[in-house]
Amino acid sequence: MVALALGAFLAGAIAGAVHSNGSTAPALAARFAAAWARGDYAAMYTEITPSSRRAVSAGQFAAAYREASMLATATSLRVSGRPRAAAGGVEVVPVVVRTRLFGTLRSSLRLPVVSVPGAAGPRVAWASSLAFPGLRPGERLHRVTSLPPRAALLARDGSVLATGPATEAGQRSSPLGAAASAVVGGVGPIPAARRVALEAEGLPANAIVGVSGLELYFDERLRGTPGGQLLAGERVLASAAPRAGTDVRTSVSPAVQQAAVEALGGQYGGVVALEPASGQILGVAGIGLEGLQPPGSTFKMVTVTGVLQAHVASPSSTFAYATSATLDGVQLHNSESESCGGTLTEAFAVSCNSVFAPLGVKLGAKRLVATAERYGFNQPSGIAGVPQSTIPPAAEIQGELAVGSTAIGQDQVLATPLEMDIVAATIADGGRRPTPTFGLAGNGAGAQGEAGAQGEAGTQSDGRGVGVTSAAIARSVRAMMIEVVRSGTGTSAAIPGVVVAGKTGTAELGGSGTSCPAAGAEADAAETATNPSTHEPEAAGCGAKEKSSPQSTDAWFASFAPAAQPKIAVAVLLVRDGFGGATAAPVARQVLEAGLR
């Protein structure tokens, strides 16, 4: 309920009304009106007669005023003049009530003031008709509400994504059919968490509103403004015509959206595609926005950024070939116990854990976490209802094994496909992290859509995004990602005639679907295609000595293209569906191709 706030109270008027002994009828009316204006129902309650207090409790008294305020969609009450005496012992106080639906209402509080034997002064003889200005004795306030038709959702090219009335729960009509459902979302009854706020805006309790997807993101604009009549019994105190919302043109590309849904097919997972420079979301499928899973080796994009920025290594730094690394006495094997090493670029291309886990240790938990947070981990996602991607505080990442495992996207790191797409888009855009949005330029979301602000402590924002790293380091990481697709684990994402940059990821899962604390999980695309279940993770508590299978790993791929002038970034997560290079990369390729046509 909306508490009536104290507006620009006319102190001179009230001061002039208060007599020297402070107990006259005008003084009582002034105190009562002032308390009402500031929403102080407890103070008002002390000014009513004992018989009134016996008839209504303090809670019932306050509830009557809150209900009247809600019905009127009132935002403030201001005293606009001095109390004056009227016939029958009534004090009349002129007031101005501002409302959301009915504009500014000018009326009067008509307060019956009586003497009470033994009391220090007069009191208000209260009745329920005093709960709102303009009510006569015996009248009750109520409202008849008219809702405007819901506006349409449009794609970035102006074509229709969703249209039609919102009269029942479900998805509105869309030319894209089922392909639209993942991004458009649906409408339904007002959720409990939003009921108070929406009823205060004038929506009736049985209204149908946006509850998911773009229908929620742009709900305020799509549903328009209710109208109707504010009634005192049968008398009309105020009226307003409903105002329809305007059609909303979103960032969604029908071609990319269709491709994302078709490429994901019946697999459980998520796809997100966005424009790197603007952060405009082009398409979403499955759990692309909300699916939190360990990101596996796609997190090496974050790790290598920190490594380069801290000068722990350079792209040409060389590392001994090895089949595993030992941290805290535990061996982390490479995929298939493969021997890998060479330059940092070569190790990144084949996702060499025996190089990157120790590099994470050298970088240290503090710098690793700081880099991840610049990329958006532990920060608001930017989209309402979308969870944060998380990495533990540096103080909680204790020991070489935990740091090394975190550096390869295991242990307690959790990310959404949206977050890993933002990481790829940051690299694509020269080190600036875009703010994800479903709106076109100058076409914001409204109250429900944007969640949290960019430009957190320790980062710099110039309106184009948050500075994560330098353009030079972003170019270095981009070159490594190009090599992943050209010759490493991501070759199945290659597109003829287009230079694609990407990073594969294969996250080992524990029995409950949680991340293993230290798993040599990345698989070479060619090898996993022929023999996907011969890797033996050596992590205690995560199936040590048990062979990894497609059902025990999440497949990831994060990418952008064309690499030199990126137009689209795509991230794919396939839950318990094999190895990133073998299963997720081909899905990403289909979506990239749609965005480049």
Side-chain angles (χ1 to χ4, degrees):
M1 302 302 174
V2 179
L4 295 177
L6 176 61
F9 186 73
L10 298 182
I14 296 302
V18 179
H19 292 193
S20 60
N21 63 9
S23 62
T24 65
L28 169 63
R31 291 196 306 273
F32 194 88
W36 193 350
R38 64 177 182 269
D40 190 350
Y41 305 126
M44 295 166 66
Y45 190 72
T46 65
E47 303 284 8
I48 67 177
T49 63
S51 60
S52 298
R53 290 199 295 271
R54 287 192 295 271
V56 62
S57 69
Q60 292 169 328
F61 179 86
Y65 282 91
R66 292 193 181 102
E67 181 183 13
S69 174
M70 183 272 292
L71 288 171
T73 66
T75 58
S76 68
L77 182 146
R78 177 173 61 87
V79 176
S80 58
R82 301 167 183 247
R84 61 179 177 81
V90 173
E91 290 291 323
V92 181
V93 184
V95 294
V96 175
V97 182
R98 298 189 184 279
T99 73
R100 289 187 174 92
L101 298 192
F102 304 105
T104 300
L105 309 181
R106 300 181 183 278
S107 188
S108 298
L109 309 179
R110 298 183 62 85
L111 303 175
V113 177
V114 298
S115 296
V116 177
R123 294 289 183 265
V124 174
W126 191 84
S128 59
S129 58
L130 295 180
F132 196 78
L135 293 181
R136 296 170 183 169
E139 290 182 334
R140 293 187 66 84
L141 192 71
H142 63 108
R143 186 183 74 221
V144 176
T145 305
S146 301
L147 296 177
R150 192 169 179 85
L153 281 165
L154 307 178
R156 67 190 297 114
D157 62 4
S159 62
V160 173
L161 282 178
T163 190
T167 56
E168 60 183 18
Q171 184 181 337
R172 293 194 293 162
S173 174
S174 173
L176 290 181
S181 62
V183 67
V184 167
V187 296
I190 298 176
R194 298 169 59 198
R195 182 171 299 280
V196 170
L198 293 185
E199 287 185 353
E201 292 179 17
L203 269 72
N206 63 349
I208 298 294
V209 299
V211 295
S212 62
L214 295 178
E215 296 281 18
L216 171 62
Y217 190 85
F218 291 108
D219 186 50
E220 182 176 349
R221 295 175 56 189
L222 293 169
R223 69 173 185 260
T225 304
Q229 293 181 320
L230 186 64
L231 301 166
E234 295 183 358
R235 291 188 305 115
V236 177
L237 295 181
S239 64
R243 298 192 301 274
T246 56
D247 293 348
V248 177
R249 192 169 175 179
T250 73
S251 62
V252 174
S253 161
V256 173
Q257 178 63 27
Q258 189 82 40
V261 172
E262 291 179 355
L264 183 62
Q267 302 168 102
Y268 181 59
V271 179
V272 176
L274 57 79
E275 188 178 78
S278 66
Q280 293 174 9
I281 297 174
L282 303 173
V284 177
I287 57 171
L289 298 180
E290 71 274 12
L292 279 171
Q293 290 288 103
S297 289
T298 57
F299 191 79
K300 288 173 185 171
M301 295 184 290
V302 176
T303 301
V304 78
T305 299
V307 165
L308 295 174
Q309 195 157 300
H311 305 291
V312 173
S314 72
S316 59
S317 297
T318 57
F319 301 87
Y321 277 75
T323 59
S324 65
T326 301
L327 301 177
D328 288 336
V330 177
Q331 278 191 312
L332 281 84
H333 281 258
N334 294 322
S335 170
E336 313 281 318
S337 293
E338 175 189 16
S339 179
C340 57
T343 66
L344 182 62
T345 297
E346 291 167 341
F348 187 89
V350 297
S351 208
C352 189
N353 285 340
S354 62
V355 169
F356 272 87
L359 274 177
V361 174
K362 289 183 180 179
L363 178 63
K366 185 175 180 179
R367 290 187 294 194
L368 180 62
V369 170
T371 305
E373 289 182 339
R374 287 197 301 274
Y375 269 113
F377 282 79
N378 298 340
Q379 308 293 347
S381 65
I383 304 292
V386 175
Q388 292 185 13
S389 296
T390 58
I391 185 171
E396 295 180 11
I397 306 175
Q398 295 291 325
E400 291 185 351
L401 181 61
V403 177
S405 299
T406 300
I408 60 174
Q410 297 282 167
D411 205 359
Q412 298 180 62
V413 185
L414 291 173
T416 62
L418 174 63
E419 171 58 29
M420 297 320 296
D421 205 21
I422 289 171
V423 172
T426 300
I427 296 164
D429 198 36
R432 303 206 71 79
R433 184 178 100 227
T435 301
T437 180
F438 281 108
L440 295 177
N443 185 15
Q448 282 77 41
E450 305 292 353
Q454 304 297 331
E456 298 85 0
T459 64
Q460 296 293 322
S461 176
D462 63 0
R464 285 190 59 243
V466 175
V468 173
T469 191
S470 68
I473 289 176
R475 285 193 298 271
S476 294
V477 179
R478 179 177 60 189
M480 295 182 189
M481 293 175 68
I482 291 172
E483 204 58 40
V484 169
V485 178
R486 178 179 293 155
S487 65
T489 56
T491 55
S492 58
I495 300 172
V498 178
V499 179
V500 177
K503 182 68 191 80
T504 56
T506 305
E508 285 278 352
L509 302 175
S512 62
T514 57
S515 174
C516 285
E522 186 66 39
D524 178 85
E527 292 183 353
T528 57
T530 58
N531 189 11
S533 58
T534 58
H535 172 64
E536 294 185 8
E538 297 290 339
C542 261
K545 301 299 182 183
E546 293 179 5
K547 294 182 178 180
S548 179
S549 71
Q551 289 71 43
S552 65
T553 57
D554 283 348
W556 285 85
F557 192 71
S559 58
F560 57 87
Q565 294 182 311
K567 296 179 180 178
I568 181 172
V570 176
V572 176
L573 160 67
L574 302 179
V575 177
R576 293 190 177 276
D577 200 21
F579 304 92
T583 61
V587 172
R589 183 191 67 238
Q590 294 181 56
V591 182
L592 288 168
E593 288 174 330
L596 295 175
R597 291 191 188 108

